[in-house]
Amino acid sequence: MLGRIDAYFRPQETALKLRSHRQEVLASNIANADTPHYKARDFDFGTAYAAALEAKPTAPLAHTDPRHLQPSQRIDPFEPQLRYLNPAQGAIDGNTVEMETQMREFADNAVRYQAAITFMQRRIEGLRGAMQNQ
Amino acid sequence: MSLFRTFDIASSAMQAQSMRLNAVASNLANAESATSANGQPYRARQVVFQSALLDARARLPGVKVAAVVEDQSAPRLVYDPRNPLADANGYIAMPNVSVVEEMTNMMSASRAYQTNADVMNTAKTLMLRTLQLGQS
């Protein structure tokens, strides 16, 4: 019974966790907009979400030889592998944070976090409605 | 909870930018100080930013001021033979503060400060919405 409820909330819970993590990644980029040699990072939400729902590690390491080792520790699905962004135009101090892109992503991600909260709220209300005796 | 760490990151950036504003204020105030505490003309000070993990549990870097360095470029020489500080050729050494550079720095720092304040506000809004989950 409780396991069912858990599965019922899981998509939204996963989305909220990943959205808040991405919010932190973007905040870190924005904070380091003036730090020399800082490289902006981000992750793809869709891929990370699918991986976290399946609770598989985000990606196995590519191997070109059967003797190559895979990491023994599984990657935390809620803290996906970060990738570096390619800047449209480089800065003279080696910093790759582009403020306009980062601010757009930050606002976009904040709105989507709120959307996930709303969906979660609806799920809670739906469950509550189903539990009430008429 | 990542949103709390977002707070820490944004506040570290605001702290760093306000130190930068302090340095700019000091440079602009002393742009004409031909002597300072050590008898030499004042030298422009610049802050050096570095990204750093803020605590042991942090995964993503905030900003800290690694050092405040003095600009080692040569002082500006101004010809003013009647000044008591002038050397044998009638020149006084003035601070190497570039006012244009400092104004640019000031604008950049205050913009970055505002942006990070916005980031904080957004994180606060999201947290408050999260706290209201399940209330109807």
Side-chain angles (χ1 to χ4, degrees), chain A residues 34-129:
Chain A
D34 292 330
T35 312
H37 309 300
Y38 177 83
K39 306 293 179 221
R41 294 179 299 176
D42 200 354
F43 66 88
D44 178 43
F45 182 84
T47 322
Y49 179 73
L53 273 186
E54 291 174 14
K56 278 187 195 158
T58 21
L61 293 179
H63 55 94
T64 50
D65 187 296
R67 286 168 299 174
H68 284 172
L69 299 176
Q70 289 290 347
S72 58
Q73 284 185 325
R74 289 160 63 97
I75 298 164
D76 181 1
F78 295 116
E79 293 202 353
Q81 199 90 66
L82 298 178
R83 291 163 184 256
Y84 292 104
L85 293 171
N86 286 323
Q89 44 179 0
I92 201 164
D93 62 355
N95 184 304
T96 63
V97 179
E98 288 176 314
M99 207 47 145
E100 48 285 346
T101 324
Q102 294 300 315
M103 285 310 280
R104 174 171 57 83
E105 291 297 337
F106 189 83
D108 176 275
N109 196 60
V111 172
R112 287 171 197 272
Y113 182 92
Q114 302 230 24
I117 290 249
T118 308
F119 289 133
M120 188 79 163
Q121 182 75 34
R122 293 281 177 276
R123 293 217 152 198
I124 293 170
E125 281 165 16
L127 189 64
R128 199 180 275 148

